[in-house]
Amino acid sequence: MKTLAAEIISIGDELLIGQVVNTNASFLAKSLTELGVTVKHISTCCDTVEDITSALELAHNRVNVVLVTGGLGPTRDDVTKAALCQFYNTELVFNQEVYSHLEFLFAHYIKAPMNAHNRDQARLPKSCKVLFNDHGTAPGMLFEHEGVISAFMPGVPFEMKSLFENKLKEILLELPGRTAIIQKTLITYGVGESRLAERIEDVEDLLPQGFSLAYLPNFGRVRLRITAKVSAGERIEAEQKVNTIAEQLKDRLSDCYQGEESEGGLEFRILELAKQKGVHVATAESFTSGRIASTLSAVSGSSAYFLGGYVTYATDMKISVLGVSKELIAAHSVVSAEVACAMAEGARLKSGAELAIASTGNAGPTKGDSEAEVGQIYLAISTADKTEAHFFSMGTHRERVIGRSVSKALELIYNELLNL
Amino acid sequence: MKTLAAEIISIGDELLIGQVVNTNASFLAKSLTELGVTVKHISTCCDTVEDITSALELAHNRVNVVLVTGGLGPTRDDVTKAALCQFYNTELVFNQEVYSHLEFLFAHYIKAPMNAHNRDQARLPKSCKVLFNDHGTAPGMLFEHEGVISAFMPGVPFEMKSLFENKLKEILLELPGRTAIIQKTLITYGVGESRLAERIEDVEDLLPQGFSLAYLPNFGRVRLRITAKVSAGERIEAEQKVNTIAEQLKDRLSDCYQGEESEGGLEFRILELAKQKGVHVATAESFTSGRIASTLSAVSGSSAYFLGGYVTYATDMKISVLGVSKELIAAHSVVSAEVACAMAEGARLKSGAELAIASTGNAGPTKGDSEAEVGQIYLAISTADKTEAHFFSMGTHRERVIGRSVSKALELIYNELLNL
């Protein structure tokens, strides 16, 4: 018997031409990992019967769980069902239950008559089990074939997620041989990965069987991921071991350790800490233009501490909205520690927040309203006690400068909250 | 001889557990398509010698261009170079030129002594051609083996992009058999894909050989992609044909056609139109919390028309910052057409912009400061002539509600700019 392992297949030319980023695959990979099913392969293939059947054949040879997304629309570019009939040696048959469900969707939500393309969506491979789609017209399908379970879901992320959560998960939970996969990711900042590796070499040497350490560098930080893959019965023991290793690493790397990566990042920890300390936060953004605000508020519940902010992209808005003085800008330029501080202070006083953060800088690709070089930025934090600015040189690519600056802003907020 | 076709392989457990979304693959897919190299497969494999060599073997059997990212770090979780030696039957040798480059990077940028892990990065497979990495310590590698060109690049997106643009592109441009791939994507809104298919069936029937039409539904819109894949000599003719088909479709779908998808979306067309018409734009955002502002300003050059905005997440900020009256909120609740209009008007008058857009609504998952159901939102547009609000019901998932609302806001801005 093959060990329990999964492959995720995405069908769609839009992925192969780079028009769409494959977030479906990362969602499914994460979900399977959480369920204790190891993902061994992720693959993407063209919208042709030949490529789809080849991909299925390969997957059936190397794993025993196959999750497929895409290619199930009602239009003629979608040929997945034809490929399935060929691969599973079956034929399309009309499914009355699916048809009634379609009629219901059209009558109540879509409010339009069904056409031939829609009616065809009720024709499904005879040997499949239908996974009813509550959010769209393309039903999901499940096959069990030569010891392999394969599920086919539409590519629209929302419909796929709902099918996975509500229909597929319970089936996967029944599979024997699931492992417990325990992970913890520590975030470090400012030390390169090779130097980190050197400093924790002995910890890495002593990792137990089934445990591993991975280094994920990006945007000036290195994330260290500890993973343990054990049988379900060993979960509690493994969790304890992962925690012990994490503590060792935190201790060893105390000068560059920033925190654990929680679900979704620092914004979750900021929410918890701000609520706990009763601190309200506001933002004043120039070149990050709402990215700090939208990151802070991406977390459900953030309205408990995040008041809002000011996007003062144009220099005049810094003056009229935040009350930064013209003279200060003339003396120091808009990209300066002084203006960053004035923006943060202005935002704090105008919003009534206990803590405000401001950004000003040049994200490039060309010089803006100041003489600052591309990538030079200031972030300022203001509280009742003090207002201080931090200077950073963030590289030369617009996207990277903004991304790193938003990360850094969250870190500054978090560290300031710790001190308040 | 195999037809020119490419495979993209991503190496890394972080992808297989869903910790990282594979944006490298979509960047490479897009870049290869632009160069006229058809991408047939995208695959992801584990960080083990066995899995890497299997993935390489498969790729070498099915395509003749293989681009690989990831697994080249200095730490022991990265085993790609060992796999390459095995697969290409070669051995690691010390490369003095790479070593000197590393010494230079450490002396001038990293400002730290090199350690054994770093020095190991100068040991490369004997048979490879080195692709020097200007932004990191892991060099890229190029192999030519049994008629297949394969390139190995680090997984850090910034380093990978730079290597691709500056080293690899010129090599790929030399390949014989590149096709011309011409694409145009039309955005439609409010009509389902099956109904669209029905309405343009005859256009689809008459598509010339090598031309195809794909339907990409998401967030209430369907993108229609016309693709032509022809030999390099037929490019101009194919471009004309793609334009003719696009015009036919626009004509046929005039009631739901929203525009062409330019590089990166509507924000580029808004920038052009606002500049052309001399209109300045400001934002007032509640539940979208800076997402409209950051989308507008994501385009380089946006400072020519985008002034900035107000993120009034908390109700009090709507009153104190935008001048919305307490009585109005009490009478209609914060999620109402009246408050949306007052926010938009406040933002326009305070910023001095000719056009302002405001958002207020409930993104969920629970009810907020108002009685509005989850997913109910208002967007208001204000100009000197009029201020009007639009109501939408955007579904029930926080992420989806915000995403759809930002798209809709950009559409409203664009349509208003057309009328100004």
Side-chain angles (χ1 to χ4, degrees), chain B residues 154-166:
Chain B
V156 177
F158 180 68
E159 299 179 28
M160 181 279 297
K161 285 182 191 176
S162 157
L163 266 179
F164 181 87
E165 292 293 345
N166 303 317

Side-chain angles (χ1 to χ4, degrees), chain A residues 356-371:
Chain A
I357 187 150
S359 70
T360 180
N362 183 356
T366 55
K367 284 193 179 186
D369 284 354
S370 83
E371 278 307 299

Side-chain angles (χ1 to χ4, degrees), chain B residues 332-397:
Chain B
H332 302 282
S333 104
V334 282
V335 180
S336 62
E338 290 78 4
V339 169
C341 286
M343 289 172 66
E345 212 163 79
R348 181 173 61 83
L349 296 173
K350 281 177 191 287
S351 67
E354 287 84 14
L355 189 163
I357 188 152
S359 71
T360 179
N362 183 357
T366 54
K367 285 194 180 186
D369 284 354
S370 83
E371 278 307 299
E373 294 297 326
V374 172
Q376 297 199 343
I377 71 126
Y378 289 88
L379 296 171
I381 287 244
S382 178
T383 63
D385 292 337
K386 67 168 196 304
T387 300
E388 62 181 26
H390 304 258
F391 170 76
F392 303 95
S393 191
M394 293 300 198
T396 53
H397 283 237

Side-chain angles (χ1 to χ4, degrees), chain A residues 269-346:
Chain A
R269 281 183 289 144
I270 289 174
L271 166 62
E272 285 314 311
L273 199 55
K275 267 165 58 182
Q276 182 192 320
K277 300 219 170 186
V279 175
H280 297 90
V281 174
T283 55
E285 302 184 64
S286 183
F287 74 104
T288 53
S289 189
R291 277 279 291 277
I292 301 172
S294 57
T295 308
L296 290 174
S297 62
V299 187
S300 167
S302 53
S303 56
Y305 83 96
F306 178 58
L307 298 180
Y310 307 84
V311 180
T312 56
Y313 205 54
T315 299
D316 281 351
M317 295 259 307
K318 293 179 182 71
I319 299 165
S320 64
V321 174
L322 294 171
V324 179
S325 88
K326 274 184 195 171
E327 294 70 29
L328 191 79
I329 294 176
H332 302 283
S333 103
V334 281
V335 181
S336 62
E338 290 79 3
V339 169
C341 286
M343 287 172 67
E345 213 165 77

Side-chain angles (χ1 to χ4, degrees), chain A residues 76, chain B residues 197-207 252:
Chain A
R76 71 176 82 174
Chain B
E198 201 177 41
R199 287 173 57 180
I200 60 178
E201 199 157 24
D202 56 324
V203 181
E204 213 172 341
D205 278 338
L206 295 172
L207 287 180
R252 185 71 60 83

